[in-house]
Amino acid sequence: MPRLAGSPGDTRLDGVSRRGLAYVVVGGALAVATLVAPIDWRAALYLAAVALGAGTLVWGVLRSRRCGSRWAGGLLAAGVLLRVVADLGWMGHVALYGPEVPATSWSTASYGLHYLVLSAGVVALRDRRAPSRIGLLDAGITTAGLLLPAWTFAVEPYLHAGHASTATAAATVGYVACDLLLLACVARLLIGSFLRTTGSRLLAAGLGVLLVADGFYLGGTALTGSTEALPPANFGWAVSYLLFGAAGAWYARAASDVRVLPAPPPAKPAPRPTGDRLTWRRAGVFALVAISAPVFWVIDGADGGGQLSGPADRVVPAVIVAVLSALLIVRLVVVARVAQARAAELAERELALSAALERQEALQEQLAARALRDPLTGLGNRALLADRLTAALAAGPGALTLLLCDLDGFKEVNDTLGHPVGDELLLEVAARLRAGVPDEATVARLGGDEFAVVLPTADADAAQRLADQIVAGLATPYPIADRHLHVTTSVGVLVADASTTSASDALRDADLALYAAKNAGKNQAVVFTPELRAARLAHSRLVAGLRDALVADGLRLDYQPVVDLHSGRCQAVEALLRWTDADGRSVPPSQFIPVAEENGLIVPIGAWVLRRACAEAAAWYRTDGVAVAVNVSGVQLADPGFVDVVTDALAAAGLPGAALILEVTESVLVTGGDLPAAQIRERLTRLRAAGVRVAIDDFGTGYSSLAALRQLPVDILKIDKSFIAGSPDTGPADPTFTRAILHLARSLQLTAIAEGIETEEQAAMLRALGRPMAQGYLFARPAPAAAITAYLDRDRGAAERRWLDHVPAALTLQA
């Protein structure tokens, strides 16, 4: 069978292969031969052409179902086969009985059945993009419009010619009816969107040629009165079935070559259904059809004398015009209903879109409100505060007062009573702030327990009064959770001036004032001054310098001996941290140690001190049994890895626990500082179990009771120097207190060390009171490790001579 596509390697389905070219040449030659060949050969040549086309179509249907559906392909194949059967029957009858074939023969019935089956095959072709009812209606309108010229130029002349019998006339009218049915099918193909492939276009072309050929046949029959087909009709029928065969061959080739097709392009969005749209093209067709009916009626209704041929000739055109008009009206009604439905749909969509836009605007307003509000208290948040600060500063200098409020003790409420109670407390604080500030003020919650108040004026006295009112108002007990909660408030006040140029500057300066209020004892308000900024800048530089010194090994240790007042021998040394900054200035420990504790730097610095002190004191302990004492802050003790830091430092230096003394302030031991006191004591107990001794530094300046002292894990009491040298506030030292402390230490079996001994009189007093250990400038000033080594070397030979007349017995540190 012919193939109208290229070779198997050719992916162009519209190409023409050798077999396809042969099919075109042979089929075309057969069709032309029906016109020019001798009369005796024309019938056979015509039959060969029809059989070639029919066979090719049947073969294509068997190879592929791409012509629409299984039913469509089968019906089309059955229709063309019926045509071949009818042609064979017709030719057989002509050969046996002559050229006139009766209308009642089975071949005539096969022709009629062929039209019906072929039409059914075309109807079975479906276009899912257009509603089937609309397509059929449009096809009906077109067919009804063409029915009148068919009646005028084919049926009516044939009936009036009087050449045929009643049966023949009925058969001819039946042919016309079948052609009109097929015409409706072709109109549906053309009006719809079926013609998307070469196969579909070939099929439509074949149907069109078939109708034209039938027209030639009916016209010839009307003129001659003979049922024998004229050559143009045979030629048209042959061409139509050759086109059917070409369509079948295309479908078959498309199915066989689909595996070598290139990748399809990206799918485009499916177009909207167009079958119900009254386009300009369709409107033009409908208008032409509508006016053609009366025109043809006029042409048909008048003879040469201007008289109508007969009453029946007026009825049929009138019926046709009525049907056409009715179809057109129905079509316009459908279009109107579709338009109304679309309008209603668009209106509904517009309403839905309007409602959606309103919901979106409301949602945007809610989101904007939430973006500027604290979700817990409903106050403004940090973003709103920055916006109000920026707006106030834009109004000019001196138009802003900012108060930052931080609750004192809020963390304890959260830790002891839980976050729900803490949230209730924050809600009550927010309510009091709103009620206690002017209406023009903005109140915001910055997070946690920190609040802010912005006033659009810059009055220092008014700001101080408002801050004092806030401190007093928030200090009133809060009745929450069946109890009265007490918290206080620290307030930082900024009265903006020309130096405040941005919201960040205002927040920074107010925060400095708040920090000063916290350091001053809390529960008070502090107004910002430029000195606070300078102090904070110095503080920041101090922190940065400490960090650099820790990284660059810029710290060092000095040591001060602790001597035995009986023998004069050095029993221990206290490690004292020293720092010289990058400018060569010696920074006193009283200045940088609190800064290190505040910023957490004391933890790595303390670890460095422990490692360095143990490493440098290792030789002293091995030669003279001298232990090293290291001061430890509460921040260090709160670090979970503190015990490991101590044991690692001892292990690295090769020292036992007895070679190290940890000095802890009395307040840290009693209150725990940043960690519960029980945990502090547990960690110190673990270290004491390893041989490390614990000393209470500056004993007597704290507030521990005797009962608490008995429970503390300590070995040594270091008596504060105020009990030895006195002070400007209390006057000269009273030996009574020193005697009591020494008696207490002996009772608890603790070693006592007196600090700050600077004169012989103070040393003589201590010897008279019981000869505790002593530390001070009288014996040695703090010195580097090398100087301590030399001191111990000298001390080793001169101690007995120096103290022989004064010290009757040796007093050593107790483990």
Side-chain angles (χ1 to χ4, degrees), residues 514-651:
L514 176 61
Y515 178 80
K518 290 281 189 182
N519 284 345
K522 303 178 181 180
N523 193 31
Q524 58 184 292
V526 172
V527 179
F528 171 80
T529 60
E531 289 76 12
L532 292 176
R533 186 184 301 163
R536 192 61 180 178
L537 180 60
H539 179 275
S540 300
R541 290 175 179 172
L542 202 62
V543 172
L546 274 176
R547 294 184 188 277
D548 294 340
L550 184 60
V551 173
D553 199 22
L555 303 174
R556 64 181 178 84
L557 292 179
D558 282 349
Y559 300 90
Q560 187 175 31
V562 177
V563 301
D564 183 344
L565 285 178
H566 172 69
S567 64
R569 295 291 303 274
C570 179
Q571 298 296 312
V573 291
E574 180 181 0
L576 301 172
L577 182 61
R578 297 292 185 261
W579 174 38
T580 301
D581 63 17
D583 297 331
R585 182 177 64 90
S586 180
V587 184
S590 59
Q591 184 176 349
F592 70 80
I593 291 296
V595 173
E597 289 181 342
E598 176 187 347
N599 290 273
L601 286 174
I602 195 63
V603 173
I605 290 176
W608 178 88
V609 170
L610 282 168
R611 291 192 300 269
R612 178 62 63 88
C614 289
E616 292 183 340
W620 306 333
Y621 183 80
R622 296 188 186 99
T623 58
D624 298 286
V626 173
V628 62
V630 177
N631 290 278
V632 178
S633 73
V635 179
Q636 289 177 265
L637 288 170
D639 182 55
F642 176 72
V643 175
D644 294 333
V645 169
V646 174
T647 56
D648 290 346
L650 289 171

Side-chain angles (χ1 to χ4, degrees), residues 96-488:
L96 293 176
Y97 305 107
E100 295 299 327
V101 180
T104 57
S105 66
W106 63 269
S107 61
T108 303
S110 296
Y111 280 124
L113 186 60
H114 139 264
Y115 281 106
L116 295 177
V117 175
L118 195 63
S119 299
V122 176
V123 172
L125 291 171
R126 293 182 179 179
D127 182 9
R128 294 183 177 87
R129 298 193 302 172
S132 59
R133 290 178 296 178
I134 298 298
L136 291 175
L137 181 59
D138 290 346
I141 293 173
T142 306
T143 305
L146 297 177
L147 180 59
L148 187 58
W151 170 267
T152 301
F153 297 106
V155 178
E156 186 182 11
Y158 179 78
L159 294 178
H160 283 284
H163 299 300
S165 63
T166 302
T168 302
T172 302
V173 173
Y175 285 147
V176 173
C178 290
D179 278 337
L180 289 174
L181 177 62
L182 193 60
L183 175 62
C185 297
V186 174
R188 182 167 175 266
L189 286 177
L190 296 176
I191 292 174
S193 52
F194 293 90
L195 307 182
R196 297 190 300 272
T197 64
T198 300
S200 300
R201 291 190 287 270
L202 289 171
L203 183 61
L207 292 172
V209 174
L210 178 61
L211 290 175
V212 174
D214 286 350
F216 272 104
Y217 172 74
L218 292 175
T221 302
L223 293 174
T224 63
S226 174
T227 59
E228 185 178 359
L230 298 176
N234 287 330
F235 173 76
W237 289 329
V239 171
S240 67
Y241 279 87
L242 288 172
L243 289 172
F244 291 160
W250 188 91
Y251 285 126
R253 185 53 184 164
S256 63
D257 283 352
V258 70
R259 62 182 179 276
V260 296
L261 284 173
K268 297 181 179 179
R272 295 182 59 87
T274 58
D276 56 350
R277 293 172 56 191
L278 188 60
T279 62
W280 284 109
R281 184 178 64 180
R282 291 191 180 193
V285 172
F286 293 160
L288 180 62
V289 170
I291 65 175
S292 66
V295 170
F296 286 119
W297 191 9
V298 170
I299 295 174
D300 179 58
D303 57 11
Q307 299 295 322
L308 295 175
S309 300
D313 297 332
R314 299 179 61 187
V315 172
V316 173
V319 171
I320 294 174
V321 172
V323 171
L324 177 59
S325 300
L327 290 175
L328 286 173
I329 292 173
V330 171
R331 183 60 169 89
L332 292 176
V333 169
V334 171
V335 172
R337 293 184 61 183
V338 170
Q340 291 175 357
R342 291 290 176 83
E345 181 183 355
L346 290 176
E348 292 179 358
R349 290 184 179 180
E350 184 178 359
L351 290 176
L353 179 60
S354 177
L357 290 175
E358 291 179 358
R359 289 194 298 268
Q360 183 178 3
E361 291 177 358
L363 181 60
Q364 288 177 345
E365 292 177 358
Q366 294 178 5
L367 291 177
R370 291 181 180 180
L372 298 175
R373 294 292 171 182
D374 174 58
L376 176 62
T377 63
L379 300 176
N381 59 11
R382 188 176 292 271
L384 178 64
L385 177 66
D387 181 72
R388 296 298 168 82
L389 290 175
T390 303
L393 291 172
L400 169 66
T401 296
L402 174 63
L403 289 77
L404 290 185
C405 311
D406 190 84
L407 301 182
D408 308 321
F410 178 75
K411 183 177 183 298
E412 287 72 15
V413 174
N414 262 347
D415 293 342
T416 57
L417 301 179
H419 288 280
V421 175
D423 290 345
E424 289 188 44
L425 177 58
L426 291 175
L427 287 171
E428 182 61 28
V429 169
R432 292 188 185 183
L433 280 175
R434 275 195 296 257
V437 300
D439 294 337
E440 66 273 14
T442 298
V443 183
R445 179 184 176 220
L446 304 186
D449 59 343
E450 189 173 5
F451 297 84
V453 178
V454 180
L455 294 172
T457 58
D459 187 334
D461 295 335
Q464 184 66 61
R465 288 194 300 270
L466 179 60
D468 293 339
Q469 292 174 7
I470 290 175
V471 170
L474 298 186
T476 306
Y478 298 84
I480 297 175
D482 298 329
R483 65 185 69 199
H484 286 78
L485 302 180
H486 294 266
V487 293
T488 58

